[in-house]
Amino acid sequence: MKILVLNAGSSSQKSCLYEIIGNSLPDRVPQPIWNSSIDWKSKQLKITTTEIEQQIQLDSEDRPKGISQMLDTLISGETKVLNNFEAIDLVSHRVVHGGTEYNRATKIEPKVKQAIADLIPLAPIHNPANLEGIEAIERLLGNVPQVAVFDTAFHAEMPLETVVYPLPYQWFEKGIRRYGFHGIGHQYCAKRAAQILNKPLKELKIITAHLGNGCSLAAVKDGKSINTTMGFTPLEGLMMGTRSGSIDPAILIYLLREYNFNADSLDRLLNSESGLQGVSGISHDMREIRAAIERGDRRAKLALDMYVHRLKSAIGSMLPSLGGLDVLVFTAGIGENNPIIREMVGDGFEFLGLKLDPNLNNTATEDSVISSSDSSVKVLVINSAEDWAIAAQSWQLITNNNNNF
Ligand code: ADP
């Protein structure tokens, strides 16, 4: 079965094509046969196949046009991997917000599209981009089955005390509650950790740390998310690349009253100008923060120390509801590639008996254990493989086969 995955972000559109042969999913994450991404800011389209890598400059900023130009590279030019679009059996979309209704991968029908549209006020950048992708496929591929895999779904069954904000209860009833995000990745990493450790997922108390430009933790018990750091929006929780994470909400009231901020300027401040970028004044990118620290930059060092402090505090805050910790997983750009941050976090939990193996930590490649054999907590690095998780979940839905994922 050939599955096309569309993963729309705020500033990018990624897509890849997987082929699943036979009646079960492969044990290891397969290489996609075609992989592409559009950076909307630079209008660059990049395509990789098993044979070739190509960059194309898009002629306009029009997103539906850009998506169809991207998909055309599947069936024409040097990157051609299919004779026609009919060869695609299934299209799956990462949809950022599924609200409270959608707690699993769902076949896209008119009412699901309507629900994604109704949730636009809660995900004003992402849900419209997801709808654009769904509609582009309808135009180009006609009646191919489409599946939505929701980033909120894994967290949809968190206990009420985790979900409700301490505001007057009527706001909860109006939908102001904690939803959580990055769920596809957290769920995948928890399952993959159990697979690597050869233990039943249900027996493990796991914290997954997704540390990319956006950062969040999930606490997983009995295979379910029982807590996560992102909330009503992906702004809550950890310090991130350009997002502040949690701050005293009275700061916003103060800025509104004393500095003439409004909704748009607050949005910009908190989502685009804060986090590593805001504190360091140098970059949102952890690689550049580290390079600046090596040059002796004090604000870059402060940004790193704050990032780790907040990360450790958030991990600590999840321990009581988990009732302990068996596994800590690091994933995404920083989680997978930054041994120093893993070491700094690990040091904070030595009192629990968590011990990293310095050699394994420094040389970790994809999907490996980096704790020492006598560590009380297994620490793993896992490639987030979000696109594969989206493909696999939709394959399971369509084939009604829950075998090994
Ligand atoms: P996104 O959340 O946009 O998918 P990523 O998961 O790629 O982002 O994470 C971006 C972060 O990961 C950046 O701070 C970057 O510095 C860091 N990162 C990505 N790749 C590497 C690498 N090879 N070495 C060190 N850090 C990396």
Side-chain angles (χ1 to χ4, degrees):
M1 182 184 285
K2 292 197 174 63
I3 305 181
L4 180 70
V5 175
L6 265 80
N7 188 341
S10 51
S11 59
S12 68
Q13 170 72 60
K14 295 182 195 155
S15 182
C16 56
L17 183 73
Y18 287 102
E19 178 157 31
I20 298 174
I21 296 164
N23 295 327
S24 61
L25 294 170
D27 286 340
R28 301 303 308 263
V29 178
Q31 278 297 320
I33 42 184
W34 170 94
N35 203 329
S36 70
S37 66
I38 300 175
D39 179 76
W40 293 117
K41 206 164 150 206
S42 63
K43 292 189 277 168
Q44 283 268 325
L45 164 61
K46 194 171 151 195
I47 307 131
T48 319
T49 66
T50 40
E51 257 131 60
I52 192 167
E53 205 177 301
Q54 206 179 56
Q55 298 239 16
I56 298 172
Q57 190 66 37
L58 298 175
D59 7 279
S60 86
E61 272 166 20
D62 184 287
R63 291 196 183 203
K65 265 196 205 154
I67 296 174
S68 74
Q69 210 173 333
M70 174 176 86
L71 295 178
D72 271 341
T73 68
L74 276 165
I75 55 164
S76 60
E78 289 171 284
T79 56
K80 175 175 166 173
V81 288
L82 301 173
N83 286 332
N84 50 47
F85 286 140
E86 279 84 68
I88 297 171
D89 300 292
L90 177 64
V91 180
S92 27
H93 300 263
R94 166 178 170 247
V95 177
V96 164
H97 218 305
T100 49
E101 207 178 325
Y102 292 99
N103 62 1
R104 53 181 45 90
T106 306
K107 191 147 180 238
I108 298 174
E109 290 165 355
K111 81 170 184 25
V112 179
K113 269 175 74 181
Q114 188 55 51
I116 297 169
D118 292 344
L119 287 162
I120 287 176
L122 295 186
I125 297 167
H126 289 91
N127 273 29
N130 300 145
L131 280 174
E132 259 166 25
I134 294 167
E135 280 162 7
I137 296 295
E138 284 171 351
R139 267 195 319 278
L140 295 167
L141 276 71
N143 284 334
V144 66
Q146 299 199 63
V147 171
V149 182
F150 297 96
D151 226 10
T152 45
F154 185 48
H155 306 299
E157 291 171 57
M158 289 193 302
L160 220 49
E161 69 265 25
T162 309
V163 159
V164 183
Y165 284 107
L167 294 168
Y169 192 75
Q170 50 162 316
W171 293 108
F172 170 63
E173 293 173 317
K174 288 189 192 346
I176 299 193
R177 45 167 281 156
R178 303 187 66 246
Y179 293 98
F181 298 87
H182 287 152
I184 302 163
H186 285 304
Q187 183 174 25
Y188 169 78
C189 284
K191 283 184 179 173
R192 179 81 182 114
Q195 190 187 44
I196 293 169
L197 296 171
N198 203 15
K199 292 254 169 68
L201 176 62
K202 282 192 160 235
E203 285 175 16
L204 295 173
K205 295 163 187 154
I206 305 174
I207 291 179
T208 47
H210 178 114
L211 308 176
N213 281 315
C215 302
S216 72
L217 301 177
V220 182
K221 194 176 182 178
D222 290 331
K224 292 184 175 164
S225 168
I226 59 159
N227 198 1
T228 190
T229 52
M230 286 179 169
F232 178 61
T233 72
L235 183 55
E236 191 179 340
L238 302 175
M239 177 172 165
M240 312 184 206
T242 60
R243 285 174 246 170
S244 61
S246 295
I247 59 167
D248 181 346
I251 295 170
L252 315 191
I253 302 167
Y254 179 78
L255 293 174
L256 287 167
R257 284 198 183 128
E258 304 294 330
Y259 283 88
N260 289 326
F261 270 77
N262 58 30
D264 288 340
S265 51
L266 277 180
D267 187 346
R268 227 179 10 259
L269 177 82
L270 300 174
N271 276 306
S272 313
E273 298 169 358
S274 295
L276 293 171
Q277 169 73 57
V279 176
S280 71
I282 290 171
S283 174
H284 68 278
D285 191 302
M286 191 57 93
R287 285 168 285 201
E288 293 187 29
I289 298 289
R290 285 180 52 193
I293 294 172
E294 271 162 37
R295 295 194 302 270
D297 190 284
R298 286 184 23 219
R299 264 174 49 199
K301 174 81 170 68
L302 174 64
L304 175 73
D305 289 344
M306 287 168 59
Y307 181 91
V308 172
H309 164 71
R310 286 172 170 253
L311 179 53
K312 285 191 297 195
S313 307
I315 292 172
S317 76
M318 290 187 158
L319 299 177
S321 46
L322 272 176
L325 185 63
D326 300 313
V327 185
L328 174 62
V329 177
F330 288 96
T331 187
I334 297 172
E336 289 167 37
N337 296 297
N338 199 313
I340 294 171
I341 288 183
R342 296 193 297 251
E343 184 187 320
M344 289 168 86
V345 172
D347 283 351
F349 295 95
E350 255 180 18
F351 73 96
L352 288 181
L354 184 156
K355 273 192 229 159
L356 290 189
D357 177 316
N359 188 32
L360 295 177
N361 182 37
N362 287 328
T363 56
T365 50
E366 292 182 0
D367 294 8
S368 53
V369 177
I370 58 167
S371 45
S372 61
S373 53
D374 59 342
S375 174
S376 61
V377 178
K378 300 278 177 225
V379 186
L380 276 72
V381 173
I382 295 181
N383 178 260
S384 64
E386 192 180 50
D387 289 336
W388 168 242
I390 295 167
Q393 281 197 35
S394 54
W395 180 89
Q396 284 186 317
L397 176 77
I398 293 297
T399 59
N400 208 6
N401 186 339
N402 276 325
N403 63 352
N404 56 349
F405 186 74

